[in-house]
Amino acid sequence: MTIRVLLADDHSAIRTGLAMILDGAPDIEVVAEAGDGASAVRKATALRPDVVLMDVRMPEVDGIEATRRLVSAGVCAVLVLTTFDMDSYVYGALRAGASGFLLKSVDAPRLLDAIRVVAAGDGVIEPSVTRRLIHAFAAAQPRETVPPPGLDQLTDRESEVLVCVGEGLSNQQIARRLGIGETTVKTHVSRVLTKLDLRSRVQAAVLAQEAGLVN
């Protein structure tokens, strides 16, 4: 099955470079490009791609608001690209429901793999980078004084899985830590998202950080 991707970035040279990388993969097709958030939302709503590769800083409607509109409407998954400057917009993008984010310095194999992961319904959370960013942005936010709704509905195993997600572990790593299968991990993650009314794995990671479940 071909993964259909929409590129949203206000720099045409970056879009061109990304398109060359993505179109070189046999299972990925770039179906459209957008130079701002409003255009990205409009084109994605019309074309229904599997993934939008979303820049954060764009004119008119930025990547955060565009992500919020697309994810809340159930249009598609969003993978955010950002620079490693601790951009405060990244935290907002995660809260808006992005399925993950990568640095613009990412190499081609990792970018392609991330798109495949997000298209499959998983999240891109790299322990070496993303966990550090989630920690930083979560630390900058006030801790919740009241546990988020739904935490008391989680089973003990689901709570363990949520903590692992908050630590930035992949499904494979969670499976090894808890001694269960990856398919079982996916089931638990899905149930956690449903019970906590979350739209993405990354939102679950942020919630775990905010709720103080992860040190």
Side-chain angles (χ1 to χ4, degrees):
M1 181 178 296
T2 300
I3 300 171
R4 303 169 68 250
V5 178
L6 185 149
L7 301 176
D9 196 294
D10 61 338
H11 291 91
S12 60
I14 292 179
R15 295 199 307 271
T16 298
L18 290 172
M20 290 178 62
I21 293 172
L22 270 56
D23 283 336
D27 58 337
I28 297 176
E29 175 190 5
V30 175
V31 296
E33 298 181 16
D36 60 75
S39 178
V41 172
R42 185 172 60 254
K43 291 182 178 181
T45 301
L47 298 173
R48 297 281 169 163
D50 300 298
V51 179
V52 170
L53 204 55
M54 183 80 74
D55 188 18
V56 175
R57 293 175 174 172
M58 291 186 291
E60 298 184 32
V61 176
D62 64 24
I64 296 175
E65 179 58 28
T67 297
R68 182 178 296 109
R69 293 181 188 180
L70 291 173
V71 176
S72 63
V75 173
C76 58
V78 176
L79 176 59
V80 171
L81 285 177
T82 184
T83 54
F84 189 57
D85 60 355
M86 302 306 290
D87 192 335
S88 61
Y89 285 127
V90 175
Y91 185 78
L94 298 181
R95 296 292 301 271
S99 294
F101 60 90
L102 294 174
L103 310 181
K104 285 188 175 179
S105 59
V106 65
D107 59 27
R110 175 58 180 152
L111 175 61
L112 296 175
D113 182 60
I115 290 172
R116 294 179 182 116
V117 169
V118 169
D122 209 340
V124 179
I125 302 180
E126 300 179 67
S128 62
V129 176
T130 310
R131 187 185 345 162
R132 187 178 346 143
L133 289 174
I134 290 174
H135 271 294
F137 289 115
Q141 304 296 316
R143 292 282 185 168
E144 298 283 351
T145 55
V146 178
L151 278 183
D152 58 348
Q153 298 178 26
L154 301 182
T155 65
D156 290 342
R157 180 63 85 188
E158 289 165 354
S159 296
E160 291 175 332
V161 169
L162 176 59
V163 170
C164 291
V165 170
E167 292 179 358
L169 301 185
S170 66
N171 284 348
Q172 185 179 56
Q173 291 170 321
I174 295 174
R176 285 200 301 263
R177 174 181 289 188
L178 301 182
I180 56 180
E182 285 189 57
T183 300
T184 303
V185 172
K186 290 181 181 180
T187 298
H188 285 313
V189 170
S190 177
R191 289 174 178 169
V192 167
L193 296 182
T194 298
K195 290 182 178 180
L196 298 181
D197 193 25
L198 300 174
R199 295 184 295 273
S200 77
R201 181 192 188 95
V202 181
Q203 279 189 320
V206 172
L207 181 146
Q209 294 280 345
E210 291 182 327
L213 302 180
V214 179
N215 296 323

